[in-house]
Amino acid sequence: MIIRRFCEDDAEKVSAMIIHTLQVSNSKDYSAEEIDALVSRAQPSGVAERAGWTHFYVAEEGESIVGCGAVGPYWGSETESSLFNIFVLPECQGRGIGRKIVEALERDEYFLRADRVEVPASITAVDFYRKLGYEYKNGVDRPDEERLYRLEKLR
């Protein structure tokens, strides 16, 4: 497995991988309507748009994209960044791929320049991020109105 920067030709495969993961893994914690809304944003055009303003990475095994993740500025800040779109195919979860993706993001310039890095964590992934040292923002240990946990790592 290698982790490399996203290229435009990856948009279709990344989109399909995210959608499959949402429908299998995240559907345990979110309603069908919520999953449908997330799927609509995970279309190839949405993936390419996100890759346009973040540093987007893919985890690749052979010809298959098995995971992805992105890091970018937090609302345009020079001192704060955010992690986005961290997904691993359900059949590949538990093999350390997600950890390797986060480690790659934490070596990226957007992460390294930041004093604080936030991650909007799904209900499905909150424990994963907590194991990697991300803490509840302002001590709030429940999902917000978007049904996401706001986690952060201070540097």
Side-chain angles (χ1 to χ4, degrees):
M1 183 201 63
I2 63 163
I3 296 178
R4 62 169 176 78
R5 288 288 292 269
F6 174 93
C7 61
E8 278 187 52
D9 292 344
D10 295 327
E12 293 281 338
K13 286 182 178 180
V14 170
S15 172
M17 185 270 303
I18 291 173
I19 289 168
H20 177 68
T21 304
L22 286 167
Q23 292 171 334
V24 174
S25 297
N26 296 76
S27 65
K28 298 171 186 143
D29 298 308
Y30 293 92
S31 70
E33 295 79 21
E34 290 169 314
I35 295 296
D36 287 346
L38 293 168
V39 164
S40 72
R41 292 195 303 251
Q43 298 302 312
S45 61
V47 170
E49 188 273 327
R50 172 68 51 98
W53 62 270
T54 64
H55 291 172
F56 206 110
Y57 293 80
V58 297
E60 189 174 53
E61 286 185 340
E63 297 295 314
S64 299
I65 292 177
V66 298
C68 68
V71 59
Y74 180 80
W75 296 102
S77 173
E78 294 287 325
T79 60
E80 296 179 301
S81 291
S82 243
L83 303 184
F84 304 98
N85 291 93
I86 300 171
F87 289 93
V88 174
L89 278 174
E91 53 272 24
C92 296
Q93 292 171 7
R95 294 180 24 208
I97 296 169
R99 176 181 293 275
K100 285 183 169 76
I101 291 168
V102 172
E103 288 169 352
L105 298 175
E106 289 181 346
R107 288 188 302 269
D108 185 274
E109 65 184 282
Y110 279 134
F111 184 91
L112 295 173
R113 76 177 192 183
D115 298 326
R116 187 184 79 84
V117 177
E118 183 166 316
V119 58
S122 67
I123 294 167
T124 312
V126 69
D127 291 336
F128 166 76
Y129 294 113
R130 300 266 298 140
K131 288 178 190 171
L132 297 178
Y134 289 83
E135 300 294 332
Y136 295 112
K137 183 179 176 182
N138 300 321
V140 178
D141 64 352
R142 61 191 177 282
D144 63 13
E145 65 281 348
E146 293 180 76
R147 298 201 358 107
L148 296 170
Y149 286 88
R150 301 296 167 166
L151 302 178
E152 65 183 358
K153 187 179 272 189
L154 303 176
R155 301 188 5 91

